[in-house]
Amino acid sequence: MLKGKVAIVTGGTRGIGLEIVRLFKENGAEVVLLGSKLETVEKAINTLDSEGIKVIGYYPNLSNYDEIKKVIDAVIAKYGKIDILVNNAGISASKSIDDTSSEDFSKIIDLNLNAVFNMTKAVVPYMKEKGEGVILNTSSMVSIYGQPSGVGYPASKFAVNGFTKSLARELAQFNIRVNAVAPGITNTDMVANLPKEIIAPLIKTIPLGRIGEPRDIANAFLFLASDMASYITGEILSVDGCARS
Ligand code: NAD
């Protein structure tokens, strides 16, 4: 479904992002994965290598536009184009507002929103030049109704939805589609780090009766990245077993 395409995936070292990298490769794309540090990028590259999947990776500070620009320029020098950008890196929060410092809040916004802007700004000129492109953002089911703690996380994901819908309108004239996937609770380290008392009652509310697997989410990214979604832009696709309340 992605033969001949070149994709960049942020947060590609584990969880949902790693599965997107795997699935995009299985579907014929060249994929560049980004992570937060050398060790995790190397670990992901080695894991994929042991499965016979070859990718390259970088670890720019996603808060720093100049660092990102250097990576994007290196990818262009190697592959000549970027067809698909997946802004997936993210961190969550679960503390009450009393226990959340303004630094905690800024840290979430910086990665979950500002990094999405920085990556997108660096890639869009190349997509415009080519006359096509796909930008996909990882939102969350909490971008629909919020959550009862960790307010920075849903705030960042509501913003990702606004970014997605607005940029889709701005870039449609350049044949660049912009969509987001809003996963429900998914079986990754992000969820493993949350207290069981929070997760167990949530699972009971999921109509499909289970949490999502990374592949469930990656499949939606594959669809939206592919030409099968050629007339879809500005959409927030829920992939959550209908657990969106
Ligand atoms: P994860 O913790 O397994 O992976 C997070 C990824 O983000 C890693 O690859 C990590 O390297 C990267 N990352 C973290 N901090 C970074 C930083 N400072 N700079 C650069 N990269 C950084 O989490 P996941 O569950 O795979 O989450 C991926 C995305 O899915 C996130 O945007 C998250 O908000 C979203 N999401 C997850 C769930 C879930 O239940 N797991 C639900 C809804 C949305």
Side-chain angles (χ1 to χ4, degrees), residues 22-160:
R22 205 175 256 128
L23 189 60
F24 280 17
K25 282 292 294 186
E26 283 172 19
N27 279 271
E30 291 295 347
V31 185
V32 179
L33 67 80
L34 304 193
S36 57
K37 44 183 189 274
L38 175 64
E39 306 87 83
T40 51
V41 167
E42 280 183 348
K43 189 175 166 211
I45 288 175
N46 291 338
T47 301
L48 293 168
D49 192 53
S50 70
E51 298 167 17
I53 297 172
K54 307 278 179 216
V55 298
I56 61 169
Y58 298 91
Y59 51 102
N61 176 355
L62 297 182
S63 307
N64 183 322
Y65 178 76
D66 293 338
E67 274 192 39
I68 288 173
K69 182 80 175 76
K70 276 190 197 140
V71 166
I72 299 305
D73 289 347
V75 174
I76 292 290
K78 185 170 171 60
Y79 295 110
K81 62 173 186 167
I82 297 168
D83 299 294
I84 303 158
L85 166 64
V86 180
N87 287 307
N88 167 75
I91 45 174
S92 66
S94 56
K95 288 194 276 190
S96 70
I97 192 159
D98 293 340
D99 293 335
T100 302
S101 65
S102 70
E103 288 77 21
D104 293 335
F105 188 82
S106 296
K107 195 175 160 198
I108 296 245
I109 300 299
D110 207 33
L111 182 64
N112 293 11
L113 181 61
N114 296 344
V116 173
F117 171 81
N118 288 335
M119 285 295 301
T120 304
K121 184 174 167 59
V123 167
V124 159
Y126 295 107
M127 291 182 168
K128 279 186 177 172
E129 199 179 297
K130 189 157 182 293
E132 63 180 348
V134 176
I135 298 167
L136 300 175
N137 302 318
T138 307
S139 182
S140 166
M141 73 174 180
V142 305
S143 74
I144 318 285
Y145 291 107
Q147 63 182 24
S149 61
V151 70
Y153 183 65
S156 71
K157 297 300 189 180
F158 271 80
V160 164

